Amino acid sequence: MNVILSATLAANEDIVRRRRAGIRVLNLAFGEAGLPVHPALRNRLSEASGDNGYGEVAGSAELRESAAGYWGRRGLPTDPGLVVSGPGSKALLFGLLLALGGDVVLPMPSWVSYAAQAEIVGVRPILLPPPPGEGGVPDPDLLAPAVSEARARGRVVNSVLVTLPDNPTGRLARPETVRRLAVLARELDLIIISDEIYRDLVHDPSAVFASPAEFAPERTVITTGLSKSLALGGWRTGCTRLPAAGLRDRLLALASEIWSTPPAPVQHAAAYAFSEPRDLVRRVADSRRLHGIVARAVAERFTRSGAHVEPPQGGFYLYPEIPSFGSSTELATELIEKHGVAVLPGTAFGDRQRAPRIRVATSLLYGESAEQRLAALCADDPTRLPWIAASLRHLDEALEGLGRCRGGRSRGGAATETAVASRL
């Protein structure tokens, strides 16, 4: 096993070290929601701070009923008995891979932890690209041949994992793509794990969200959490919606040996959050709007610089491709070392080594303090706030410098080709 520190967490620690050394760094590497905790949630957590018992492995009845209601309001009637809570959806995903066993099909690119968790569990991912212009869902045209070939070689393939909307691309798979994947999963006897932690942050008004649970409810597992929609990453709470009692029992058996029970005070706040009171619905809507405005502003700057980038549709990510670089690692290294802009290389997400694509996270541009971040949340045009405008200028300068470098590369490349030709 060769599992290393998560690329996102490693990048964040590197940025902290650079800033402590007095180096100016624009952090576009870490996918944190970048907003303060809502006061109502702080109050709920404080009220429950004396609850120090272990509780049920699946989570409290209040939390499971609240999460079931959350899905029910999205057209997915849910039995609270088939809801399991855990210390973050990341832990739940790990438990699910263990409970399901067998190899898993992943989109390429996909979030850094999917393939790493598969390796820890001892299974091999099958990486398939999404349809052009989409993200987070393996191309259905490639799914059946890839699974059939793997099984013909003796591999056991039990599941396919999707992200709606996607990290790293910020794109959302079309409903027809999700439907076709669900139909194939039934034909191939695959369980679908649908990571929908960004579901409530779809900010493109033309994008239509569809869950595979709408098309294949008997074989779709959904995971979600509050780390993105309500910026509670450090509170570590998540829920999963399971299709059958057998899988629930296997997951609970594993959970009892890994995390025992979700943290009790956080469950109290999470139950309140999943009930979706009006003040939190408004906070999520304001967050969604902010994420969309800033992500589009960053995408526009990459586009003006000559990069190819699909318009972001959800979450706070984009996935630009910048020509004339030999690899995503080379591109990311040049951005941080020469221009003070931290991003993650596409290889961290399973992308091809020679593809010059990077994952850009925009949500830490909102400010350094809670006051600045709340101002960004309320501003008519957050990109005009001085601190966000300064970060965008930093990015403009970096991309201009990158463009000059690319020009030098291109001229150097042409000169080399001429010299080689003259010797032939």
Side-chain angles (χ1 to χ4, degrees):
M1 187 190 308
N2 185 32
V3 178
I4 59 175
L5 186 67
S6 167
T8 51
L9 297 174
N12 198 51
E13 292 181 7
D14 178 59
I15 291 164
V16 170
R17 285 193 295 269
R18 289 173 185 268
R19 287 178 170 173
R20 284 176 178 166
I23 301 170
R24 180 188 177 208
V25 178
L26 184 64
N27 188 354
L28 300 177
F30 195 53
E32 187 172 9
L35 291 168
V37 178
H38 193 282
L41 291 170
R42 290 204 305 269
N43 291 340
R44 295 281 168 156
L45 185 67
S46 177
E47 291 169 2
S49 61
D51 187 353
N52 61 350
Y54 277 97
E56 297 179 58
V57 177
S60 70
E62 180 190 15
L63 174 52
R64 288 184 281 115
E65 288 168 5
S66 183
Y70 166 88
W71 279 304
R73 288 186 293 276
R74 284 152 181 78
L76 299 171
T78 302
D79 177 358
L82 292 177
V83 174
V84 173
S85 177
S89 60
K90 190 172 184 177
L92 289 166
L93 286 163
F94 180 71
L96 286 165
L97 289 176
L98 279 169
L100 290 168
D103 292 343
V104 59
V105 181
L106 299 177
M108 183 189 72
S110 58
W111 180 48
V112 296
S113 289
Y114 296 148
Q117 287 189 352
E119 185 173 350
I120 294 170
V121 171
V123 304
R124 289 177 292 168
I126 299 170
L127 300 172
L128 300 178
E134 301 181 48
V137 175
D139 191 332
D141 289 337
L142 304 177
L143 182 64
V147 171
S148 298
E149 180 182 355
R151 287 173 172 170
R153 294 184 177 184
R155 293 173 64 178
V156 176
V157 185
N158 285 343
S159 59
V160 54
L161 196 157
V162 303
T163 315
L164 299 164
D166 184 39
N167 171 13
T169 66
R171 300 289 291 176
L172 180 64
R174 295 183 302 112
E176 178 58 18
T177 300
V178 177
R179 186 196 67 79
R180 290 177 58 212
L181 180 105
V183 170
L184 282 169
R186 185 176 287 129
E187 294 174 358
L188 295 166
D189 193 22
L190 297 173
I191 293 292
I192 304 168
I193 305 171
S194 186
D195 184 348
E196 299 180 9
I197 198 165
Y198 297 98
R199 173 174 186 153
D200 296 329
L201 297 181
V202 177
H203 47 69
D204 179 355
S206 66
V208 178
F209 186 96
S211 172
E214 298 173 29
F215 308 107
E218 82 286 355
R219 61 181 58 252
T220 299
V221 178
I222 301 176
T223 63
T224 193
L226 303 173
S227 61
K228 310 304 178 182
S229 60
L230 285 168
L232 298 179
W235 287 20
R236 308 312 305 142
T237 183
C239 287
T240 185
R241 177 186 186 272
L242 299 159
L247 180 55
R248 177 204 60 196
D249 293 345
R250 293 198 299 277
L251 178 60
L252 288 177
L254 291 162
S256 71
E257 302 296 352
I258 299 174
W259 61 78
S260 298
T261 180
V266 177
Q267 289 185 70
H268 184 71
Y272 177 72
F274 279 118
S275 72
E276 299 185 288
R278 184 176 301 177
D279 52 353
L280 295 189
V281 170
R282 177 61 182 273
R283 170 56 70 88
V284 173
D286 290 345
S287 302
R288 181 167 56 241
R289 173 183 170 273
L290 173 62
H291 295 321
I293 290 172
V294 176
R296 285 190 292 273
V298 173
E300 288 166 6
R301 282 158 172 78
F302 274 94
T303 299
R304 285 204 305 265
S305 75
H308 171 72
V309 57
E310 295 284 352
Q313 294 179 300
F316 28 82
Y317 304 110
L318 49 143
Y319 200 64
E321 179 174 353
I322 301 181
S324 303
F325 279 85
S327 69
S328 64
T329 302
E330 178 188 2
L331 173 55
T333 300
E334 186 138 336
L335 277 169
I336 185 62
E337 297 295 343
K338 295 186 178 180
H339 305 288
V341 175
V343 298
L344 289 182
T347 49
F349 302 88
D351 209 343
R352 293 181 294 108
Q353 179 66 31
R354 305 295 294 176
R357 291 187 281 265
I358 51 176
R359 202 285 302 272
V360 175
T362 61
S363 50
L364 293 184
L365 298 180
Y366 307 151
E368 295 295 328
S369 66
E371 291 76 16
Q372 287 184 340
R373 292 166 179 172
L374 283 174
L377 198 64
C378 300
D380 290 336
D381 183 358
T383 64
R384 292 183 178 274
L385 294 171
W387 55 93
I388 297 180
S391 293
L392 293 175
R393 284 195 300 273
H394 183 165
L395 178 61
D396 280 331
E397 293 165 3
L399 293 174
E400 288 172 7
L402 208 61
R404 289 192 295 271
C405 176
R406 288 209 313 273
R409 286 172 186 271
S410 298
R411 288 191 297 274
T416 300
E417 289 171 5
T418 301
V420 171
S422 68
R423 291 197 298 269
L424 296 176

